[in-house]
Amino acid sequence: MGAPRSIRHLAAACLAAGLVAAASAGVAATPPSRAIEELTWTEVREFVAGGGTTAIIPIGGTEQNGPHMVLGKHNVRVRALSLEVAGALGDALVAPVIAYVPEGPIDPPGSHMRYPGTLSVPTGAFEQVLESAARSLRAHGFRDIAFVGDHGGYQQSLVAVAARLNRAWSNTPARAHAIVEYYRAGESVYPKLLAARGYRDEEIGAHAGLADTALALAVDPALVRNARLADPPRVADGVRGDPRRASAELGRLGSGAIVDATVAAIRAAVRDRGARAARPASSPVSRPDRIPP
């Protein structure tokens, strides 16, 4: 049997009062989802009004990942890990994944475009999408907009777009942040964790190898074709490394490192934005972070 109507009405009233109190106190109430696309517009408005003014723009990519891993690996992974980051931050929501990114020349095909299913767009078009997405979020009240990219090829574009936006927004409280620490954690911290457990560099790999495949297994095992995982790896098949000993357990080492590094980087960027806002106009401002070559 359901609860009496009076009790249900009282519970609903208490919930509504709690949301109002949270908003008036400047504390973002926990939304039904951290994904903007899974919320209503009024839920987003209430979250922002309650102090939830950080937005994460996850960037993936649609590219070949060897015969054993699906083309949408980056998209699934960056969404899942960004949602974890947003939950840990508490005041953040996650925008829809940007899945169309530069993946190499189209005609004639080069880089990942040599493999069927890969989708590529020009760098200029990609950067315009990033900029427009960030401007849209700023228009709705978000103050800290973080670009988080799962693929190495466009990290410099994230830095460049954030710098352009911050020049345009210099007299406003909003800032864009290129969170290159997300990618760095997967490319440097995670391989060291694997190496400490006895895995060789040539096995860990740079693309679709053990590290990459283990991360996919940790996020969603359906991303990996187990029947092809046992095949000897070949560079001609788009594999740089050896994924055969990959496991979800190993992948969780990487996903944890990525989430921790990203949470710390966004918190630092938000603090820095606040500090900059408090400085006199003549105070020097450091250049945006750069990723190593």
Side-chain angles (χ1 to χ4, degrees), residues 169-203:
W169 296 347
S170 61
N171 294 322
T172 79
R175 288 294 179 270
H177 312 289
I179 307 299
V180 295
E181 291 83 355
Y182 174 103
Y183 185 73
R184 283 176 178 164
E187 289 297 293
S188 59
V189 178
Y190 180 35
K192 290 178 182 177
L193 294 174
L194 293 173
R197 285 160 174 76
Y199 295 95
R200 297 168 286 106
D201 289 346
E202 57 268 29
E203 184 178 17

Side-chain angles (χ1 to χ4, degrees), residues 1-16:
M1 294 179 62
R5 180 177 300 179
S6 60
I7 295 178
R8 294 200 303 271
H9 286 177
L10 178 61
C14 290
L15 176 60

